């Protein structure tokens, strides 16, 4: 059983980029050098607001995992000095590197909805080029679901998310009571009505503080073990490439399936399949 804590001592933050305030296009998350520079500034702005909220809630240790692309988006010197930064890739727990059972809460900043979500700004699941959909125990799952289940495996509740309205709804379906700071409302995959970044930061700070004060209301999100994943790729050639993994079963032209006893192993098995699938180019 998890002990009740009145104040969170250790807070973990996983930060992606597509759900950052003001961001609506791939150019801003890496494809264009100049636009990417603007995106990075917006990213650290949202992050520092979340760190500030965590410190106001009494956190003594804040660990931030840079979780986008090559995971070197945050400029260390611009990050609030009250936090430690995990950066670079690849690493064992990927977007969640640094999490362990000693954390009191996990926060998700700048997250985006799963591939195919209506009005999900820059929606995708792990890789827009390679992955069509991921199902965990039969439930279609996006990056928030995959990562919050890892936090849950370690007994850590996921209490806060920031991003667009679509990812907030996705998170609430899995984690009832999670606090969400909605910083933009998608009007398509590459367009949104956005809060001013300063308003977004104020909302993030306030919502993180509230979430951490009400920490005990949220249970860790766990998936039942053994865990079945199904991975539907974009093309059959991608499934051909990943089907060499000895633990996968081919279900149809584009879909692979596997079962693992433990959730972290399932996540690793899934990542390995996606990495291999990506070696086969789409036409
Ligand atoms: Zn990303």
């Amino acid at each position: 059983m998890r002990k009740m804590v009145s104040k969170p001592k250790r807070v973990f933050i996983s930060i992606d980029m597509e759900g950052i305030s003001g961001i609506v296009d791939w150019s801003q998350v890496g494809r264009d050098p100049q636009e990417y520079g603007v995106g990075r500034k917006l990213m650290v702005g949202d992050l520092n607001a979340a760190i500030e909220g965590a410190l106001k809630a009494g956190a003594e240790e804040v660990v931030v995992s840079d979780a986008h692309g090559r995971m070197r988006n945050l400029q260390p010197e611009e990050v609030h000095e009250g936090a430690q930064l995990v950066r670079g890739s690849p690493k064992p727990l990927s977007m969640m590197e640094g999490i362990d059972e000693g954390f009191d809460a996990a926060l998700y900043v700048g997250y985006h909805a799963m591939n195919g979500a209506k009005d999900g700004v820059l929606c995708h699941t792990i890789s827009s080029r390679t992955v069509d959909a991921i199902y965990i125990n039969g439930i279609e799952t996006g990056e928030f679901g995959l990562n919050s289940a890892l936090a849950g495996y370690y007994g850590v509740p996921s209490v806060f998310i920031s991003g667009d309205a679509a990812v907030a709804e996705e998170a609430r379906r899995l984690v009832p009571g999670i606090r969400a700071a909605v910083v933009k409302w998608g009007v398509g995959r590459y367009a949104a009505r956005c809060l001013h970044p300063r308003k977004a930061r104020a909302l993030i700070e306030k919502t993180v503080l509230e979430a951490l004060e009400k920490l005990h209301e949220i249970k860790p999100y766990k998936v039942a073990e053994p865990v079945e994943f199904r991975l539907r790729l974009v093309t059959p050639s991608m499934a051909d490439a990943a089907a060499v993994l000895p633990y996968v079963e081919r279900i149809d032209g584009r879909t692979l399936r596997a079962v693992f006893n433990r959730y972290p192993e399932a996540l690793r098995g899934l990542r390995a399949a996606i990495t291999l699938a990506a070696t086969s180019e789409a036409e």
Side-chain angles (χ1 to χ4, degrees):
M1 284 294 284
R2 190 176 165 76
K3 64 180 189 304
M4 286 284 216
V5 282
S6 49
K7 276 194 174 180
K9 283 199 166 51
R10 299 182 73 213
V11 172
F12 181 82
I13 301 177
S14 175
I15 176 164
D16 203 352
M17 203 164 183
E18 291 85 349
I20 294 296
S21 59
I23 284 184
V24 297
D25 192 81
W26 300 124
S27 63
Q28 293 173 287
V29 300
R31 287 201 190 159
D32 174 83
Q34 205 169 352
E35 288 283 333
Y36 175 54
V38 177
R40 293 172 94 179
K41 286 246 177 260
L42 291 167
M43 184 184 189
V44 79
D46 283 13
L47 173 64
N48 286 343
I51 296 170
E52 197 62 59
L55 296 174
K56 281 196 178 143
E60 290 165 11
E61 185 184 341
V62 180
V63 174
V64 176
S65 195
D66 187 331
H68 173 76
R70 303 288 297 277
M71 306 183 171
R72 289 186 273 107
N73 308 283
L74 294 158
Q75 313 268 30
E77 221 155 354
E78 292 177 4
V79 174
H80 193 303
E81 64 186 37
Q84 288 183 4
L85 177 61
V86 181
R87 65 196 310 255
S89 69
K91 41 191 164 17
L93 299 180
S94 193
M95 299 176 79
M96 296 295 279
E97 185 58 44
I99 189 105
D100 62 46
E101 47 283 288
F103 282 94
D104 299 301
L107 318 179
Y108 305 81
V109 175
Y111 265 54
H112 55 81
M114 69 174 75
N115 189 39
K118 184 177 180 295
D119 293 331
V121 179
L122 294 167
C123 65
H124 66 282
T125 305
I126 315 269
S127 162
S128 57
R129 291 194 175 101
T130 313
V131 177
D132 185 36
I134 293 170
Y135 297 82
I136 300 291
N137 292 345
I139 297 169
E140 190 172 359
T141 303
E143 291 174 26
F144 169 76
L146 292 170
N147 291 332
S148 58
L150 188 66
Y153 175 84
Y154 289 113
V156 181
S158 296
V159 304
F160 169 88
I161 187 164
S162 73
D164 66 0
V167 79
E169 192 192 307
E170 190 176 310
R172 288 186 190 114
R173 280 202 299 269
L174 297 179
V175 182
I178 189 169
R179 260 57 169 193
V182 174
V183 299
K184 57 192 172 188
W185 292 263
V187 284
R189 197 184 190 197
Y190 302 123
R193 176 166 58 90
C194 305
L195 288 182
H196 188 282
R198 280 198 293 276
K199 297 270 186 189
R201 291 167 202 153
L203 178 66
I204 289 168
E205 183 182 325
K206 173 173 139 296
T207 311
V208 166
L209 179 59
E210 278 169 18
L212 291 172
E213 282 172 351
K214 303 275 169 79
L215 189 60
H216 56 278
E217 292 176 7
I218 313 259
K219 288 193 194 69
Y221 169 64
K222 290 178 191 282
V223 299
E225 294 171 327
V227 185
E228 181 212 54
F229 79 68
R230 275 187 289 137
L231 168 64
R232 191 165 67 232
L233 297 152
V234 172
T235 68
S237 61
M238 292 172 179
D240 296 339
V244 300
L245 290 167
Y247 54 80
V248 303
E249 178 193 336
R250 184 92 175 243
I251 301 183
D252 61 33
R254 294 190 291 140
T255 312
L256 305 169
R257 170 188 181 273
V259 178
F260 291 86
N261 288 328
R262 289 288 183 207
Y263 184 72
E265 276 78 65
L267 207 51
R268 284 162 61 182
L270 184 62
R271 283 176 51 212
I274 293 167
T275 304
L276 208 49
T279 62
S280 170
E281 302 254 321
E283 285 83 52

